[in-house]
Amino acid sequence: MPIATTIAELARHVGQTVTLSGWLYNSRSSGKLLFLVVRDGTGLCQCVLEKTAVSPEAFEAARRLGQESALRVTGAVRADERSVGGHELAVSEVEVVQSAAGYPITPKAHGIDFLMKNRHLWFRSQRQWAILRVRHTIVDGIRRYFNDHGFILIDTPIFAPAAGEGAQTLFAVDYFGEPVYLAQTGQLYVEAAMMAHRKVYCFGPTFRAEKSKTRRHLTEFWMVEPEIAYADLDDVCALAEDFVYELVQRVLRERRMELELLGRDLARLEAIQKPFHRITYSQAADILRSGQTRTTFEADLERAKARVEELKRLIAEKEAERGAAGIKEWKADKLAQEILDAREELADQEEAVRNIPTHMELAANFEWGGDLGGSDETIIARLHDRPVFVTHYPRGCKAFYMKRNADDPRVVNNLDLLAPEGYGEIIGGSQREDDLDALLERIKEDGMNPADYEWYLDLRRYGTVPHGGFGLGVERTVAWICGLKHIRETIPFARMMGRIYP
RNA sequence: UCCCCGCUAGCUCAAUCGGUAGAGCACCCGGCUGUUAACCGGGUUGUUGUAGGUUCGAGUCCUACGCGGGGAGCCA
């Protein structure tokens, strides 16, 4: 009897006859030899079928199987360097569970619109498979971290009442005739629970109606928000630092294979060590206006310009080569793909050439009091090899609940954590304003109605203490750890402006 | 809301100055005993996003709209 097993377990079965159950990822035929690349959810395995090993009918049936056909394959396991995963199966039997034809996602190149429309199938492709496995480990790592550190999980509501300002970035829902909104944070609720349990967190989906079409935005994304009592800004930073560090360590430990498959530069992740860098907003402003920033941007611009010229030359050369007489078809095909890749990079580089002067100007003319823009964050992060905390923002550009700084009333005790390599803000948080009068003042200042916040104000009336917390965006964290260009691949079914299918 | 780019076969893309719409892949037929997006030979595939306009003639030029991509603002 063959042993039923999975591809991940093959190393334990070398020399034995096993049965794999999975789907046909790709197949290549060589006359009397057939290579079936099978995936089973745990990995890929090349199954080699020799014509003489089975009946002519069985060989013919296997040869005609379409991509993603469901099948069971039985054969002897052997180690082979030439095979994906290092093991292969010398097939003695193929059982077709379902014969599939016309699978849309071929092993060739596809555009992003097509792939997103076929997201339900795209999961099966190697890169997507690896990304969602890393996401799983990050999500599990988040839960594990807080559960192991004495935090109590508090599920906060998704329907939120109309709350003063900011309603334009919220999704309105009809709630028995009343307009309510999909929550964009659980923070206020988690503060209430923190007063009961000391250390709490909420973890769930959150919704933003921002009309942002960028590689960093989703309209529905997951956020974890811890909140701790008897804590000041330093305590919140220390928590965020240890938490992010542990997440990275966990992924490096458990998902090395997936990161390698994604082509992630592991050295960049291994460089994530404590302590993270810490600068204040005012120091960030000085950095932005400094010669170092100017020089960095100028170097970037020169590099981008040089790359544009290089790519143009490269494309012209390849096009000439492709058009040359007597060229082999496979060679022309390869060149065509290289030209497409080069053009894509060219578009990116040309965009950089257009944008950098604007970014330079924004940085050079940065005025104390404004919020840091995307390009500003990028330059700050680029000058550091570890995540960097930016603290003490002007209170004018931050939310009403953030604690005013005792020494400098112009700023609040908040923190943003910028991921390295230009991945931007993955954490935003603060010490909270625990003084009733100060909080009331800020609510009025923002033109909101204190009556809407009565329950929240109660938290300051009855046993208020210094406390704080932060929110970490799961998808941005996954994008950073996986080294992905776009956030849409970090969540199973991305919800973005103008995209709701499937 | 604003700025830039794109839309041609099921998929990825060509199409010179405005002059008969074409490759590769997928699919079908045949060949090949170590392939790695296999390869080689043959075959099938079109309302060029939509609506107007200019022109003897529009995939190509103009206008509007739609959809998608990237960015600004805003944000995790």
Side-chain angles (χ1 to χ4, degrees):
Chain A
M1 247 327 251
I3 306 156
T5 188
T6 59
I7 292 167
E9 300 289 307
L10 280 184
R12 299 185 192 179
H13 296 289
V14 175
Q16 296 176 324
T17 296
V18 303
T19 299
L20 296 175
S21 49
W23 297 265
L24 186 62
Y25 193 69
N26 194 13
S27 74
R28 293 178 284 271
S29 138
S30 179
K32 298 187 179 72
L33 202 54
L34 182 58
F35 300 95
L36 301 172
V37 179
V38 172
R39 55 170 200 88
D40 75 343
T42 73
L44 283 183
C45 177
Q46 175 165 281
C47 304
V48 186
L49 184 52
E50 287 184 31
K51 197 165 187 174
T52 49
V54 295
S55 71
E57 296 75 30
F59 187 82
E60 199 50 26
R63 198 174 68 84
R64 285 169 193 284
L65 274 183
Q67 210 185 330
E68 288 304 318
S69 289
L71 73 174
R72 287 195 188 85
V73 196
T74 301
V77 182
R78 63 189 181 210
D80 196 312
E81 284 294 313
R82 294 171 292 186
S83 213
V84 263
H87 294 87
E88 62 178 28
L89 220 61
V91 180
S92 50
E93 195 189 335
V94 178
E95 181 197 341
V96 178
V97 177
Q98 191 245 342
S99 176
Y103 184 70
I105 304 177
T106 67
K108 297 283 173 177
H110 298 284
I112 192 61
D113 185 48
F114 178 79
L115 290 170
M116 287 305 285
K117 279 178 178 153
N118 287 284
R119 183 60 171 164
H120 53 297
L121 302 175
W122 193 21
F123 286 158
R124 307 179 188 195
S125 302
Q126 279 278 278
R127 280 183 61 85
Q128 301 308 311
W129 176 82
I131 293 166
L132 291 185
R133 283 164 74 92
V134 174
R135 179 192 170 97
H136 160 80
T137 297
I138 288 172
V139 167
D140 187 52
I142 288 168
R143 295 196 168 117
R144 198 80 77 76
Y145 182 89
F146 291 116
N147 292 342
D148 288 352
H149 286 77
F151 286 73
I152 298 297
L153 173 70
I154 299 298
D155 296 312
T156 55
I158 285 175
F159 290 134
E165 49 122 43
Q168 69 278 3
T169 65
L170 304 176
F171 285 105
V173 176
D174 179 89
Y175 191 79
F176 305 114
E178 290 289 310
V180 300
Y181 299 90
L182 296 182
Q184 60 166 348
T185 171
Q187 188 216 307
L188 268 46
Y189 298 103
V190 113
E191 279 188 60
M194 169 273 302
M195 293 294 190
H197 295 279
R198 189 173 195 104
K199 296 201 283 187
V200 299
Y201 71 104
C202 67
F203 189 16
T206 168
F207 307 88
R208 305 274 166 97
E210 291 152 8
K211 292 190 174 175
S212 302
K213 288 176 72 167
T214 82
R215 60 189 72 189
R216 297 185 304 280
H217 286 85
L218 296 169
T219 53
E220 177 183 319
F221 64 95
W222 283 63
M223 185 159 70
V224 59
E225 297 173 272
E227 190 77 23
I228 50 178
Y230 286 100
D232 61 12
L233 182 64
D234 284 335
D235 297 319
V236 177
C237 282
L239 174 65
E241 179 182 81
D242 190 56
F243 169 57
V244 170
Y245 170 77
E246 288 298 333
L247 275 185
V248 172
Q249 295 310 306
R250 176 103 193 266
V251 175
L252 277 172
R253 253 191 333 266
E254 296 179 15
R255 293 292 173 214
R256 194 162 277 267
M257 180 265 281
E258 286 81 357
L259 292 176
E260 279 167 358
L261 198 151
L262 292 167
R264 185 66 167 109
D265 181 357
L266 293 177
R268 298 302 294 267
L269 290 180
E270 278 157 354
I272 308 305
Q273 294 294 332
K274 295 192 284 185
F276 295 173
H277 299 287
R278 274 182 74 159
I279 61 172
T280 65
Y281 169 92
S282 296
Q283 287 169 328
D286 289 343
I287 290 171
L288 288 174
R289 289 184 296 241
S290 72
Q292 189 190 10
T293 292
R294 166 160 282 273
T295 326
T296 308
F297 271 134
E298 277 167 354
D300 284 356
L301 185 58
E302 285 318 304
R303 197 178 314 115
K305 279 181 176 168
R307 188 67 186 149
V308 164
E309 291 314 311
E310 195 182 336
L311 284 164
K312 280 182 178 168
R313 206 170 51 242
L314 210 72
I315 290 168
E317 276 171 22
K318 285 180 191 295
E319 276 181 336
E321 198 181 340
R322 188 178 58 163
I327 187 165
K328 292 277 187 199
E329 269 176 26
W330 67 267
K331 179 80 174 168
D333 193 29
K334 185 161 170 275
L335 282 167
Q337 187 57 53
E338 285 169 5
I339 289 166
L340 289 180
D341 291 345
R343 279 199 188 139
E344 198 181 321
E345 197 196 332
L346 179 63
D348 281 354
Q349 294 292 345
E350 281 177 338
E351 179 137 32
V353 170
R354 275 197 304 276
N355 287 338
I356 288 172
T358 316
H359 294 166
M360 270 175 85
E361 209 175 308
L362 282 171
N365 300 328
F366 187 83
E367 283 186 31
W368 199 98
D371 209 347
L372 261 50
S375 60
D376 301 326
E377 287 181 357
T378 306
I379 194 79
I380 301 282
R382 284 234 355 244
L383 299 172
H384 300 85
D385 57 344
R386 298 175 188 180
V388 50
F389 286 109
V390 184
T391 63
H392 301 97
Y393 278 57
R395 65 193 190 98
C397 58
K398 286 290 168 185
F400 72 94
Y401 50 74
M402 293 191 178
K403 176 75 179 172
R404 188 184 292 200
N405 186 273
D407 302 323
D408 182 356
R410 297 178 307 159
V411 303
V412 290
N413 289 349
N414 79 302
L415 65 135
D416 278 359
L417 182 66
L418 307 181
E421 301 167 74
Y423 281 92
E425 190 180 341
I426 56 168
I427 279 181
S430 74
Q431 185 180 341
R432 318 304 186 192
E433 183 52 77
D434 51 308
D435 182 79
L436 178 64
D437 294 332
L439 191 59
L440 268 170
E441 190 188 319
R442 279 295 279 125
I443 287 174
K444 287 174 189 157
E445 227 174 71
D446 280 5
M448 299 184 299
N449 184 2
D452 292 336
Y453 294 92
E454 268 310 304
W455 70 266
Y456 186 65
L457 294 169
D458 271 353
L459 306 179
R460 273 67 182 172
R461 292 187 182 108
Y462 309 111
T464 187
V465 293
H467 66 284
F470 61 83
L472 170 123
V474 171
E475 288 75 18
R476 284 188 183 177
T477 304
V478 175
W480 163 50
I481 291 179
C482 289
L484 303 180
K485 206 172 159 188
H486 204 296
I487 199 170
R488 66 189 151 212
E489 296 174 41
T490 65
I491 186 166
F493 293 96
R495 292 294 176 249
M496 290 175 293
M497 195 184 148
R499 200 177 279 287
I500 196 83
Y501 178 92

